[in-house]
Amino acid sequence: QVQLVQSGAEVKKPGASVKVSCKASGYTFTSYYMHWVRQAPGQGLEWMGIINPSGGSTSYAQKFQGRVTMTRDTSTSTVYMELSSLRSEDTAVYYCARESTVGATPYWGQGTLVTVSS
Amino acid sequence: EIVLTQSPGTLSLSPGERATLSCRASQSVSSSYLAWYQQKPGQAPRLLIYGASSRATGIPDRFSGSGSGTDFTLTISRLEPEDFAVYYCQQYGSSPMTFGQGTKVEIK
């Protein structure tokens, strides 16, 4: 069965960077795009960007351009999301979410809480 | 960017009642690429409906979706205790993918 297992919670200081991983299993890693979505405490869902695990191409939400980098390692079936220049407003749960053949995202990781605090 | 506006913000209903949730898009959603998700506290979102009206695998038939263009609806025919949660609509036909702000279905 499809599983997306994310790395553990992180606490970072303002100005630092964080790198969250999402290890996929149960399917052919390079066959489906992966999205990153975040959710601030008590808030809604916010799309950050997408990566094609096959070729590594990416597309980012304009809000995060210049601060976010999504990469993948096909040898370990893992995608990564790195966010730099962290500020308190980046405190959120970060999710990876895999597309399906119909384009929606039925598979989600368990989420990674990133706390930005001095 | 397509802005999705959900209404109402909160829906207070009793188990067994019918819930009707609305999602309105700022422009037409291409090919009805509109999905609905359920989220409970501390959990990741769960896909309920995709393509505006197709139920995802394992979703009970009390959940149904309808609509096209700019107006979409999620209907829960008879609320079960486990249905009290927050519901989000999502459009994935145009980049960037966007979500509505959510509708909370709470027990009256």
Side-chain angles (χ1 to χ4, degrees), chain B residues 1 4-5 7 12 17-18 20 24 26 32 46 54-58 61 64 68 71-72 75 84 95 107:
Chain B
E1 147 173 345
L4 300 178
T5 302
S7 60
S12 298
E17 289 195 293
R18 181 184 188 90
T20 303
R24 180 161 291 177
S26 60
S32 293
R46 173 194 182 196
S54 298
R55 268 188 300 278
T57 303
D61 59 9
S64 63
S68 63
D71 288 293
F72 298 88
T75 301
F84 292 92
S95 185
I107 300 176

Side-chain angles (χ1 to χ4, degrees), chain A residues 31-43:
Chain A
S31 294
Y32 297 93
Y33 286 59
M34 195 78 78
H35 299 258
W36 287 90
V37 175
R38 77 176 187 179
Q39 186 170 38
Q43 303 301 308

